[in-house]
Amino acid sequence: MAPARTAPDLSFLLDHTSHVLRTRMAAALDEIGLTARMHCVLVHALGEERTQAQLAELGDMDKTTMVVTVDALEAAGLAERRPSSTDRRARIIAVTEEGARVARRSQKIVDGVHAEALASLSEGDRSVLLRALNGLVEGHLAVPAESPRPARRARQGAK
């Protein structure tokens, strides 16, 4: 009695590949003691002076997750909270020298995980996939729909 599927299950395809990619990324970054969130904060904080709120938005994290992530980076000696050089009321996340070294290493790991995933496709398929996904991210799926019962984001596991 189940309805016949008339189209590929895009939700399953995107969720499954995203989940597997996240687990591989988590395992690879764990080898140097980082989580994907820690990597994200380090890399974005290196780019320019940014507050926790700005970094949280860039990394798609809520405030609580961001605080826990920055606390972990501070405890590891990779980043610290400092007063902003342009706004004395604001505090920014500054990456330490060790943090910059770890960020360079973690970026190589992230690039490697992505390259490994894409290597399973032909060069033509890689190019089509990336172009199509960018088209969705910049177009129809750029902004989540408003809903009285928002969809929960997939858990990324304990990090």
Side-chain angles (χ1 to χ4, degrees):
M1 291 294 201
R5 185 171 303 280
T6 58
D9 188 345
L10 181 61
S11 294
F12 167 76
L13 295 171
L14 293 173
D15 284 347
H16 180 76
T17 53
S18 178
H19 171 72
V20 172
L21 185 61
R22 278 193 314 272
T23 62
R24 290 181 182 192
M25 189 68 69
L29 287 171
D30 189 54
E31 291 181 17
I32 62 168
L34 285 189
T35 65
R37 290 178 178 134
M38 291 167 81
H39 164 76
C40 180
V41 170
L42 284 175
V43 169
H44 285 103
L46 272 171
E48 66 182 70
E49 195 172 277
R50 292 187 167 120
T51 65
Q52 267 188 199
Q54 290 168 324
L55 291 167
E57 185 163 333
L58 283 169
D60 199 19
M61 290 179 242
D62 60 50
K63 280 170 71 172
T64 303
T65 301
M66 184 63 187
V67 168
V68 169
T69 302
V70 174
D71 287 349
L73 289 168
E74 279 191 315
L78 304 176
E80 56 192 25
R81 293 169 173 97
R82 289 188 191 155
S84 168
S85 64
T86 58
D87 179 354
R88 64 186 179 144
R89 298 165 298 168
R91 294 184 59 77
I92 56 109
I93 305 307
V95 178
T96 65
E97 281 186 38
E98 177 65 8
R101 188 187 67 72
V102 169
R104 286 189 296 276
R105 190 166 171 210
S106 67
Q107 188 61 57
K108 287 179 183 173
I109 291 170
V110 167
D111 292 345
V113 170
H114 290 161
E116 216 174 81
L118 292 171
S120 66
L121 302 172
S122 71
E123 194 167 322
D125 285 349
R126 266 183 292 223
S127 153
V128 168
L129 174 67
L130 293 172
R131 188 170 53 252
L133 288 173
N134 276 308
L136 287 173
V137 166
E138 294 169 2
H140 186 70
L141 298 179
V143 179
E146 293 293 324
S147 171
R149 294 188 331 165
R152 286 184 42 158
R153 294 190 70 131
R155 289 186 181 263
Q156 298 207 351
K159 291 186 180 180

